[in-house]
Amino acid sequence: MCAEVIETDKKIVYMDHAATTYVAPEVMEAMLPYFSVKFGNPSSVCGIGQENKTKIDEARAKVAVAINAEPNEIYFTGGGSESDNWVLKGIAFANIRKGKHIITTVVEHHAILHAAEWLQSQGFEVTCLPVDQYGMVSPLDVEKAIRPDTILISVMYANNEVGTIQPIAEIGAIARAHGIYFHTDAVQAIGHVPIDVKAEHIDLLSLSGHKFYGPKGVGALYVRRGVRIHNLIHGGAQERRHRAGTENVPGIVGLGAAIERAVAVIPEESVRLAALRDYMISELLKLPGSHLNGHPTERLPNNVNITFEYIEGESILLHLDTFGICASTGSACNSASFESSHVLTAMGVPHEIAHGSVRFTLGEWNTETDVSYVLEKLPEIIHKLRSLSPLTPEELR
Ligand SMILES: *Cc1c(COP(=O)(O)O)cnc(C)c1O
């Protein structure tokens, strides 16, 4: 959608931070030396490598502090998808003697859903919990789904499409009471809501650098001490023998710098973004035939997801793009296909209507001026598209 962002000098309003973020300037600066002068292999005995080993451990400590874990509970990975795959496959095969049943939800990211599907093909059983009209999972449903052979419960912290924040602490308490491992995909939540793995009884947590102004292709997995999990990537002895492969030193340094600053600004930034979000939502809902997707209050401070009846989200995006506004329909993975979002479908949004959904996800550089600009352009676009569509009823023309 945003192909010509680089080549033009027109006004660009980027509101797709849930898809990815730029690398913050100070994060980039922290990373740069590790591409060049400080290129050493952390496993090497040379001074240049040893210094990098120390840097990795500093980044590890920053990730630990950000979620109230211990540094030796943090493992660096190649991103959110790898962390999610590691949890599902690693827990499944390490706990096979206890059982082969896994509980997750219908609104998870595909990194969870497709890994769970693959496990089904390997003889595991997966229960996918439903959600309510706001995309919320019920802790009661979690409890009812538990069986003697359940080995893992995986529920995302916050949804990437509609922004709904799940009752993680309650689900964590249920899992802990039943002695079942509890994983949360917190990729969208880090840097937006405070997370405490101890208080919320989280045993495993996935995060990814490029969703909070860090680099792409680097993430982390928190594994509480004592959790039985097999390795996903076999090879050398890196990451205390749990994740092989020469460390992505610049990426890890960047992830450490990014998580430190992202968590530090939560108190002010979440309030600032929530105010912009609420203003945007209330203005957009004034347009006839528009609906909010996701929870009205339990939602990420930067997520605005609206359905406009009788038009295609794709068409809205193309028109927004001509004004330099970058948003998305639901999830980045779906934007190339015309399949409707599995999240909106699970929330009961009818197929025809789900197609008219647009997701704006705000970020650090978005201001009131940006929001006003979108609010100025969007109604014109909606009006134009509706007037062109034969499906539009008279009252919406
Ligand atoms: C982006 C995202 C992922 C995947 O992370 P990558 O680092 O891009 O592999 C997983 N889960 C959620 C909720 C996400 O938003």
Side-chain angles (χ1 to χ4, degrees):
M1 279 302 121
C2 313
E4 67 267 59
V5 163
I6 306 298
E7 291 108 61
T8 70
D9 52 5
K10 72 181 173 190
K11 183 180 173 68
I12 296 297
V13 173
Y14 184 77
M15 291 195 179
D16 201 11
H17 293 80
T20 196
T21 56
Y22 46 84
V23 175
E26 64 268 39
V27 170
M28 176 107 106
E29 202 177 318
M31 292 171 68
L32 282 176
Y34 299 91
F35 287 108
S36 54
V37 283
K38 300 183 177 181
F39 66 90
N41 188 323
S43 302
S44 142
V45 289
C46 304
I48 189 171
Q50 285 301 303
E51 193 203 322
N52 289 355
K53 201 168 153 54
T54 312
K55 271 292 167 191
I56 291 174
D57 286 331
E58 279 173 31
R60 197 185 308 287
K62 287 175 184 177
V63 175
V65 166
I67 59 171
N68 194 26
E70 305 304 321
N72 63 11
E73 295 173 319
I74 306 299
Y75 299 89
F76 291 110
T77 67
S81 299
E82 183 189 323
S83 297
D84 285 347
N85 272 267
W86 185 4
V87 170
L88 264 77
K89 296 169 189 175
I91 292 290
F93 285 98
N95 297 278
I96 217 158
R97 269 202 230 126
K98 183 187 173 197
K100 289 183 132 190
H101 180 235
I102 292 165
I103 298 171
T104 185
T105 83
V106 287
V107 294
E108 298 300 307
H109 190 272
H110 284 129
I112 293 288
L113 292 178
H114 290 165
E117 257 170 48
W118 181 79
L119 284 173
Q120 279 179 318
S121 77
Q122 302 300 305
F124 290 87
E125 278 184 71
V126 179
T127 299
C128 272
L129 298 174
V131 291
D132 67 12
Q133 59 176 318
Y134 302 119
M136 189 82 95
V137 175
S138 147
L140 210 67
D141 284 348
V142 175
E143 184 137 44
K144 280 193 274 183
I146 292 173
R147 312 192 317 208
D149 60 341
T150 305
I151 50 178
L152 177 70
I153 297 170
S154 179
V155 178
M156 71 198 320
Y157 208 106
N159 185 265
N160 45 306
E161 293 187 36
V162 298
T164 301
I165 300 171
Q166 303 296 347
I168 291 300
E170 274 178 77
I171 298 170
I174 292 167
R176 190 62 57 87
H178 286 83
I180 299 165
Y181 294 144
F182 176 46
H183 167 250
T184 187
D185 173 343
V187 172
Q188 288 292 336
I190 296 280
H192 289 300
V193 287
I195 296 178
D196 182 329
V197 293
K198 292 194 176 82
E200 297 170 271
H201 304 297
I202 298 166
D203 298 307
L204 304 119
L205 177 146
S206 307
L207 58 90
S208 173
H210 74 104
K211 303 289 173 77
F212 50 82
Y213 310 98
K216 295 173 184 46
V218 61
L221 181 65
Y222 150 76
V223 183
R224 184 178 58 75
R225 255 187 95 154
V227 167
R228 284 173 58 90
I229 182 166
H230 280 344
N231 292 352
L232 180 68
I233 310 286
H234 299 91
Q238 292 89 356
E239 294 298 284
R240 309 185 301 294
R241 300 190 174 278
H242 288 296
R243 199 281 188 178
T246 303
E247 297 88 340
N248 173 2
V249 183
I252 290 169
V253 168
L255 187 145
I259 203 167
E260 186 176 47
R261 74 189 268 295
V263 169
V265 299
I266 291 176
E268 311 87 64
E269 189 62 3
S270 66
V271 173
R272 187 186 77 89
L273 289 177
L276 291 178
R277 171 199 68 188
D278 292 341
Y279 174 59
M280 204 165 159
I281 291 174
S282 69
E283 289 300 308
L284 291 177
L285 290 183
K286 286 179 187 164
L287 299 172
S290 63
H291 310 274
L292 176 68
N293 295 311
H295 202 281
T297 54
E298 295 301 307
R299 77 185 292 130
L300 289 173
N302 70 332
N303 179 293
V304 175
N305 188 317
I306 306 269
T307 289
F308 300 98
E309 289 178 8
Y310 304 104
I311 23 187
E312 292 285 346
E314 297 290 325
S315 312
I316 302 174
L317 290 189
L318 290 171
H319 281 77
L320 284 172
D321 191 41
T322 64
F323 292 112
I325 300 165
C326 184
S328 93
T329 56
S331 100
C333 337
N334 289 346
S335 57
S337 69
F338 271 83
E339 244 172 75
S340 46
S341 142
H342 70 286
V343 176
L344 294 178
T345 305
M347 288 159 56
V349 179
H351 187 74
E352 327 80 73
I353 291 184
H355 275 302
S357 304
V358 182
R359 177 189 73 180
F360 299 91
T361 41
L362 307 169
E364 288 186 346
W365 289 354
N366 289 140
T367 59
E368 238 176 282
T369 316
D370 293 346
V371 170
S372 303
Y373 180 64
V374 174
L375 292 175
E376 177 197 320
K377 300 297 177 198
L378 193 51
E380 293 169 15
I381 295 172
I382 305 290
H383 183 75
K384 182 174 163 197
L385 290 172
R386 281 200 180 133
S387 64
L388 291 172
S389 165
L391 297 174
T392 312
E394 227 20 76
E395 66 273 19
L396 289 182
R397 281 183 188 274

